[in-house]
Amino acid sequence: MNRQELIGQIFDKNTFLCVGLDTDTKKIPAHLLGTDDPIFNFNKAIIDATAPFCVAYKPNLAFYEAEGPRGVSAFEKTVAYLKEAYPRHLVIADAKRGDIGNTSMLYARSFFEEYGVDALTVAPYMGEDSVVPFLKYEGKWVVLLALTSNKGSFDFQLTAGADGERLFEKVLRVSQQWGTDENLMYVVGATRGSMFEDVRKVVPSHFLLVPGVGAQGGSLQEVCKYGMTKDCGLLVNSSRGIIYASSGEDFAAAAASKAEELQREMQAELRQI
């Protein structure tokens, strides 16, 4: 999915919601545990229920790899189902890969060729040669970690050099030499609030993937106030607040209700552009 197609989807559906598929077998409804493939069956039901209200899905690889081969198989089946049943939704693999060049090249091949995802989260710490292999795939997106909302982000991301430039700002500035706003997005945590204004000073037009709205307490309105562009420029992710809205047999309907609630809030924000 290219940039214009993504923007078109956002304004056609009046939503910039990304549903995070952080599927934990310890949290999914008990009645699914006895089925042939609990993880995939949960994902499929969530996807079918929430698809009208979102433009993207983001399975987090940790939740699948933790289950070994059956988890990886469920991830593969989930991506294949999305590509077949909902081809106009962006599929982001949240894997935070990034290593020396030849290793990154193999990571890129596995996610973009074997799994066929549209986008992949990548860690920038090792620099240009660890990121560029992912950017060589036409029509695919790299989602680079920039400013996260966890406590440990203060250890590195917010530290400033002698010139006053903070590390996350340097990541944003330097990485623009590697890619463009057609193939490079950035992760910025929703709980950063007004710091989105600082982010936009460096990357005024790139899309931002924004986790942390919902269960983590981020404010959608604040994210939009400081981070939204004329093209929207945001993919706001909600995971637990949607997929675990109910632990009963009505889990899919409850997820749909939460997703629709966010979609309506997003529609109101889009109308202000």
Side-chain angles (χ1 to χ4, degrees), residues 12-147:
D12 285 348
K13 299 180 72 175
N14 292 305
T15 181
F16 44 98
L17 176 62
C18 174
V19 175
L21 298 173
D22 297 359
T23 307
D24 186 345
T25 53
K26 295 180 180 179
K27 293 182 179 179
I28 65 176
H31 72 276
L32 292 176
L33 296 177
T35 63
D36 60 331
D37 193 339
I39 298 172
F40 174 70
N41 291 336
F42 176 81
N43 284 354
K44 181 178 182 297
I46 292 290
I47 291 165
D48 290 340
T50 60
F53 312 113
C54 69
V55 294
Y57 288 96
K58 183 177 71 65
N60 185 320
L61 267 293
F63 290 88
Y64 301 87
E65 292 173 342
E67 298 291 332
R70 71 167 185 162
V72 174
S73 174
F75 168 74
E76 293 176 342
K77 288 171 67 175
T78 298
V79 173
Y81 180 69
L82 282 166
K83 305 305 286 186
E84 178 184 358
Y86 301 99
R88 299 184 69 189
H89 283 66
L90 190 76
V91 181
I92 305 168
D94 190 357
K96 300 177 180 69
R97 297 299 196 255
D99 206 329
I100 58 174
N102 62 334
T103 308
S104 281
M105 185 166 53
L106 293 173
Y107 280 137
R109 185 195 303 174
S110 66
F111 283 98
F112 292 146
E113 294 184 31
E114 293 300 318
Y115 295 138
V117 300
D118 301 302
L120 177 69
T121 58
V122 173
Y125 189 76
M126 292 181 68
E128 179 180 10
D129 60 324
S130 71
V131 176
V132 167
F134 298 100
L135 290 163
K136 291 182 177 179
Y137 282 81
E138 188 175 350
K140 304 293 186 179
W141 292 88
V142 168
V143 189
L144 206 64
L145 295 175
L147 182 59

Side-chain angles (χ1 to χ4, degrees), residues 169-187:
E169 293 169 316
K170 185 171 184 177
V171 168
L172 293 170
R173 176 177 59 81
V174 173
S175 62
Q176 290 179 79
Q177 301 169 27
W178 312 336
T180 71
D181 62 8
E182 298 280 345
N183 64 356
L184 187 59
M185 301 186 191
Y186 296 98
V187 175

Side-chain angles (χ1 to χ4, degrees), residues 38 41-42 45 112 155-156 169 222 238 240 246 260 266:
N41 291 336
F42 176 81
F112 292 146
D155 294 338
F156 300 114
E169 293 169 316
E222 196 168 46
S238 179
R240 287 171 289 168
S246 170
E260 184 177 15
M266 290 177 176

